[in-house]
Amino acid sequence: MDVAGADDPIWVVKRWRRYGNDRLYVELADGAKVGYWDLVADTAHPSTPADEALLLRAVADWKGGHQTAAAPPAPPPAPPPAAPHPEPERAPEPEPEPDPEPVAPLPWIDLATTPPGAAAREQAEAARAAAPIKTVLARVLGVHTDERAWRLGAVGEEQVAAQLAKVARDDGRWRFLHAIPVGNRGSDIDHLVIGPGGVFTVNTKHHPGASIWVGGETLLVNGTRQPYIRNARHEAERAGRLLSAACGYPVHVGGLVVPVNTDEVVVKSQPAGVAVVPRRRLAGWLRRHGEIHPPSTVEAIFAMARRSTTWQ
């Protein structure tokens, strides 16, 4: 870490090397981000256009302080050579190791093409195919089945996606992904929201006609406690780790629990790191969340989030 001299504006330069990247991150003493310099590509990435001049100055100062020192003085002259002696036989030098074959990048699927509710819809169709007669009878009789739960879950995710589309229409800087498969055990993230106000995982909960009460870490559905807050926090933390590894810098992710089609949602106090926001209030909540990321950061995170390999 390097800090500018007392006669200059104070900045901090941090070198970061990981996953084949080599960068200089520059920020002011008060923590304000100036941007970063890619030492591999030798290119500047200021946080804002106004920060470019300061970024270049800080990088030039850093490079000036890390140049190779002046050459040491020449050694004293060697003594006169002694009488020649026969040289001993030398073992043959080993053959140099061949250069390793370049590793081809893993193929990936663009998750930006996945429709909302895709994973839940697939589970519902599988349940219906496994027991078609039972599914029809259950629908007629109003019996709750796995097929019904998955089908209603898909509908809820589609309704939440419609609210997110409103945000995008009002502010084109927001980006969204739906039904993101995570790991290899069938887990998925209902929605990922990336925008100027931050990065959020959205856990949709479809409870038609239910009453939901939230107080800190407690969430009740019709008086019965549910683990939605704990699960949403775990989901957001896991997404943050995977995105940070893919992007090469820390990405903070918040968790959202979004109830759908409930009769009542009462929030006495929001839990730490997670927010419970009814579907119809979601668009306004996101728009009022302030501005944390510039457009370049939003696009950089979205570019890695849409790769299926990021989540595996």
Side-chain angles (χ1 to χ4, degrees):
M1 179 186 301
D2 301 298
V3 179
D7 296 334
D8 294 321
I10 302 302
W11 59 68
V12 178
V13 179
K14 299 178 182 177
R15 188 170 187 176
W16 182 91
R17 286 179 283 191
R18 194 176 180 188
Y19 304 110
N21 297 308
D22 193 354
R23 299 173 178 174
L24 300 177
Y25 283 89
V26 180
E27 61 184 46
L28 299 179
D30 61 2
K33 306 298 183 185
V34 176
Y36 72 89
W37 185 275
D38 189 327
L39 289 170
V40 177
D42 203 27
T43 54
H45 300 269
S47 296
T48 66
D51 292 325
E52 183 171 4
L54 182 56
L55 175 63
L56 295 175
R57 185 178 176 189
V59 171
D61 181 79
W62 184 90
K63 288 184 176 181
H66 288 73
Q67 297 297 323
T68 304
H85 293 283
E87 294 186 0
E89 293 186 2
R90 297 181 181 179
E93 295 184 359
E95 293 291 330
E97 293 288 337
D99 292 334
E101 292 292 330
V103 179
L106 293 175
W108 54 275
I109 299 171
D110 188 356
L111 301 179
T113 63
T114 304
R121 188 75 65 188
E122 182 179 343
Q123 293 285 353
E125 291 174 357
R128 183 168 60 252
I133 298 176
K134 177 183 176 181
T135 299
V136 173
L137 290 176
R139 289 193 185 186
V140 172
L141 299 175
V143 177
H144 290 192
T145 63
D146 288 343
E147 185 275 340
R148 178 181 184 274
W150 286 115
R151 177 165 44 84
L152 291 181
V155 171
E157 292 181 35
E158 290 165 352
Q159 292 175 334
V160 170
Q163 288 292 312
L164 296 176
K166 290 182 179 180
V167 178
R169 286 195 297 269
D170 293 340
D171 187 344
R173 295 175 297 174
W174 288 89
R175 299 286 180 265
F176 310 104
L177 295 170
H178 310 288
I180 300 172
V182 182
N184 54 10
R185 297 184 179 181
S187 299
D188 78 299
I189 297 172
D190 294 344
H191 313 276
L192 182 72
V193 179
I194 307 169
V199 182
F200 307 95
T201 53
V202 178
N203 199 327
T204 300
K205 294 301 175 185
H206 197 181
H207 289 287
S211 176
I212 293 181
W213 184 92
V214 180
E217 297 297 305
T218 301
L219 187 150
L220 306 178
V221 178
N222 292 334
T224 302
R225 186 165 185 165
Q226 300 292 341
Y228 297 160
I229 292 172
R230 180 195 66 195
N231 295 346
R233 183 179 292 117
H234 171 75
E235 182 177 75
E237 291 173 351
R238 185 182 189 186
R241 290 193 300 270
L242 293 172
L243 285 174
S244 297
C247 294
Y249 49 81
V251 178
H252 174 75
V253 179
L256 289 175
V257 177
V258 179
V260 177
N261 293 337
T262 55
D263 276 354
E264 181 184 38
V265 177
V266 177
V267 180
K268 292 294 185 181
S269 61
Q270 293 283 13
V274 176
V276 180
V277 183
R279 174 179 64 93
R280 295 188 181 278
R281 302 178 192 170
L282 179 59
W285 187 89
L286 289 173
R287 286 193 291 261
R288 293 192 303 269
H289 207 66
E291 296 198 5
I292 299 173
H293 298 311
S296 59
T297 300
V298 172
E299 294 303 326
I301 297 174
F302 179 65
M304 299 309 300
R306 68 192 299 174
R307 294 170 175 253
S308 60
T309 49
T310 294
W311 308 98
Q312 302 306 311

